[in-house]
Amino acid sequence: MFRVIVSHAKKHPSLIPLFLIIGSGGVGAALYVMRLAVFNPDVCWDKKNNPEPWNKLAPNDQYKFYSVNVDYSKLKKDRPDF
């Protein structure tokens, strides 16, 4: 598959930006899915030692990728302990 892409890029050099953009989009999507699988509190990989990891989140833990108006360091605890 890689040889086909290289041969097409040699024949038609105008396709190189297209290959770079599509490749970087695929890599970015794969990295984002890997980030969700590793750092999202809804995903539980170790059910024996930590069956409910979402209960151990503090209110000032930022688990969103991007937050527009919320400063997580200034939030106070407003929920009960479980």
Side-chain angles (χ1 to χ4, degrees), residues 19-62:
F19 292 147
L20 291 176
I21 290 171
I22 297 296
S24 63
V27 168
L31 289 174
Y32 183 68
V33 168
M34 189 168 40
R35 180 197 173 274
L36 286 178
V38 173
F39 295 116
N40 196 353
D42 295 331
V43 178
C44 181
W45 291 96
D46 187 12
K47 291 188 179 192
K48 185 180 278 187
N49 294 329
N50 193 7
E52 296 176 345
W54 49 87
N55 284 337
K56 293 187 179 183
L57 285 176
N60 56 0
D61 289 340
Q62 180 178 357

